Amino acid sequence: MSTKNQEQQGKEVIEGAATILRAGPICDDCLGRAFAKLGHGFSNRQRGGALRTLLSMLEVDGRLGTCWVCDGLFGRVKDWADRAVAASKGIEFESYLFGVKLSPRLSQMEAFFDERFPTGLTESLKHAFNREVGKAFEAKSGRGTVDLTHPHLSFLIDLVHDSVNLRVLSLYIYGRYLKLVRGIPQTRWPCRHCRGKGCEACGFTGKQYPESVEELVAAPFLTAAGAEEAHLHGAGREDIDARMLGTGRPFVLEVVSPRSRCLDLPSLQEAVNTGSSEKVEVSELHFVPRETVALVKETHAKKTYRALVAFEKDIPPKTLTEALESLIGTIKQRTPQRVSHRRADLVRERCLLESRGNLLSPRQAELELCGEGGLYIKELVSGDNGRTLPSLAARLGVASRVVELDVIDVTSESFPDS
Ligand SMILES: [Zn+2]
Ligand SMILES: [Zn+2]
């Protein structure tokens, strides 16, 4: 900047500051933030203080009283920081972020201030306040750094309701689970009668089933993290009566509002595996970012099943082999009757990729079927009254049904452990 321009700008700053000072009582923070883009390494309060001193030497004195722009908000920064420290007491964190909800009056004053004194150098009230509270919070709690994208702690200072709202970033842990027994749903299933409120039918648990993979996996994590809520996000789900074997099904466990973040995953894995009475087993545990939840849920993974199938009449081995081979390819499935009450009724096309099996007796076979995500295996076998085409029953010309079903593999290159 040339000397001439510097002189010009100096004049403009002094004149601008003088106009602001004369307009009404104003705090150093608000005076300073009107010139926030001038100089580095100063706080707005220092800028405002320096301008006020300079102007008072030029016999321009500010008026006394509460700042008309922020209504004294910057004078209460430390109080808000103290409240934030109290709200986060006992919670482990490394990063934080502050937000503020202004009262309508403050928003109006701020807009008016901007419009009336357009210095071109102003920092917004919100921006300045959030930073100052952050600095005071860090000083008081002695730790933490600002993180604009994934802060462990997000504080919202609500000036309308005079409250500090704290949101703690969930923990996300990827893994694979085995479900070694039948009859357990993947996630907590609300009672059909009371929809989760608790009634006589469910013994006032609010649950249709006493246990779920979700609860069995989550229990040690809740204790370790000091949390009360966790969600299991699975890469699809097996039927309640199907086991999940083989390499297991990918999932992300989300631990909501954890008080501790430094979890010892190997020992938690051990705790799940020994604590669930051999019902579930987990492996591959590691921390992942939140985005992995969507990735795991939305990936259409390839799935391999082992099915025990019963036939109404005797089947010759060769007939079975030929029927299974002929099924490979596109399968058209109208939404199965058994799930039609909760899924839209439409016809989906899914590919059956592999299909083989052998007879255990003339009326019973063990099959291994591999299909695209979303292929309904029970219906592929039974035909679901003509809703699935082709089907094993149709190809054999004999009524067929799945007696037992196990998922033995869930694969996709998108999974974080593939
Ligand atoms: Zn102010
Ligand atoms: Zn109930």
Side-chain angles (χ1 to χ4, degrees):
M1 205 186 280
S2 73
T3 318
K4 185 107 197 269
N5 280 348
Q6 275 177 329
E7 268 175 32
Q8 179 61 28
Q9 189 173 33
K11 243 180 102 185
E12 277 173 24
V13 168
I14 290 168
E15 277 170 15
T19 319
I20 294 173
L21 266 189
R22 287 194 194 101
I26 191 161
C27 69
D28 283 348
D29 281 271
C30 286
L31 178 60
R33 71 187 173 82
F35 304 95
K37 289 170 191 161
L38 278 186
H40 295 288
F42 305 108
S43 66
N44 288 336
R45 188 169 293 183
Q46 287 170 328
R47 280 189 189 89
L51 286 168
R52 192 186 300 277
T53 306
L54 175 65
L55 284 165
S56 103
M57 290 190 274
L58 300 171
E59 300 194 346
V60 181
D61 287 309
R63 299 207 228 150
L64 294 177
T66 307
C67 175
W68 68 269
V69 188
C70 74
D71 195 25
L73 179 66
F74 285 101
R76 296 189 294 273
V77 158
K78 221 186 133 286
D79 299 338
W80 284 112
D82 288 348
R83 287 175 71 173
V85 170
S88 57
K89 195 165 184 276
I91 302 177
E92 232 171 64
F93 69 93
E94 280 165 15
S95 56
Y96 67 84
L97 186 65
F98 277 88
V100 61
K101 187 176 175 196
L102 301 182
S103 65
R105 190 186 164 274
L106 267 186
S107 298
Q108 279 167 12
M109 285 303 167
E110 161 79 344
F112 179 73
F113 182 61
D114 249 11
E115 213 179 278
R116 180 82 172 68
F117 309 104
T119 59
L121 302 166
T122 307
E123 181 186 24
S124 76
L125 189 152
K126 275 188 175 184
H127 198 272
F129 178 73
N130 289 338
R131 188 194 51 250
E132 291 306 316
V133 177
K135 272 157 62 180
F137 172 78
E138 224 176 285
K140 172 98 183 182
S141 62
R143 67 208 159 113
T145 48
V146 182
D147 182 337
L148 300 177
T149 50
H150 295 98
H152 289 166
L153 305 182
S154 307
F155 295 99
L156 178 69
I157 293 181
D158 184 340
L159 298 176
V160 179
H161 300 100
D162 186 40
S163 62
V164 175
N165 304 323
L166 169 60
R167 222 183 57 225
V168 183
L169 183 72
S170 293
L171 284 170
Y172 299 93
I173 299 119
Y174 175 86
R176 282 178 179 257
Y177 74 80
L178 301 181
K179 187 173 104 187
L180 303 166
V181 293
R182 302 180 197 284
I184 304 178
Q186 184 190 61
T187 52
R188 200 175 178 275
W189 195 294
C191 166
R192 258 176 231 143
H193 300 276
C194 64
R195 296 190 179 173
K197 281 192 218 118
C199 67
E200 249 170 68
C202 60
F204 300 96
T205 60
K207 299 190 285 187
Q208 188 70 27
Y209 298 88
E211 293 176 316
S212 61
V213 174
E214 181 175 61
E215 289 159 287
L216 291 168
V217 171
F221 285 85
L222 293 176
T223 311
E228 282 166 18
E229 196 183 330
H231 305 289
L232 186 137
H233 307 283
R237 59 173 69 208
E238 62 285 337
D239 292 334
I240 290 172
D241 59 3
R243 291 183 298 183
M244 179 66 235
L245 305 174
T247 50
R249 184 184 297 275
F251 68 91
V252 175
L253 184 72
E254 175 183 0
V255 182
V256 180
S257 273
R259 299 185 77 77
S260 302
R261 310 192 72 86
C262 301
L263 307 184
D264 177 4
L265 297 184
S267 76
L268 283 166
Q269 175 169 321
E270 184 66 21
V272 173
N273 296 352
T274 54
S276 72
S277 318
E278 302 188 351
K279 289 173 185 159
V280 300
E281 234 178 85
V282 290
S283 60
E284 311 284 341
L285 297 182
H286 61 272
F287 289 104
V288 288
R290 179 170 130 203
E291 290 72 23
T292 310
V293 172
L295 179 103
V296 162
K297 280 176 85 163
E298 284 156 23
T299 298
H300 270 271
K302 206 169 81 177
K303 292 170 189 126
T304 309
Y305 298 85
R306 188 164 57 216
L308 185 64
V309 172
F311 307 110
E312 209 178 54
K313 291 178 188 157
D314 291 3
I315 303 290
K318 193 160 167 280
T319 311
L320 177 68
T321 310
E322 282 169 7
L324 286 171
E325 275 171 14
S326 78
L327 281 175
I328 294 173
T330 303
I331 309 290
K332 286 188 183 168
Q333 291 196 306
R334 195 171 150 197
T335 305
Q337 278 171 322
R338 67 188 163 95
V339 299
S340 60
H341 61 283
R342 56 191 166 91
R343 300 255 164 94
D345 186 16
L346 41 94
V347 178
R348 293 179 190 79
E349 288 193 2
R350 293 284 187 269
C351 206
L352 178 66
L353 303 163
E354 285 168 48
S355 163
R356 57 176 163 263
N358 41 340
L359 289 165
L360 304 174
S361 72
R363 293 196 181 192
Q364 210 173 44
E366 190 180 83
L367 312 183
E368 202 173 298
L369 305 162
C370 173
E372 275 184 315
L375 180 69
Y376 292 105
I377 297 299
K378 288 175 181 171
E379 286 69 24
L380 172 69
V381 168
S382 73
D384 198 22
N385 293 320
R387 294 161 73 101
T388 288
L389 280 169
S391 69
L392 183 61
R395 287 286 152 90
L396 293 171
V398 170
S400 316
R401 68 181 175 88
V402 170
V403 180
E404 276 180 13
L405 190 65
D406 296 324
V407 185
I408 55 176
D409 197 27
V410 180
T411 31
S412 162
E413 283 173 9
S414 317
F415 294 138
D417 57 1
S418 68

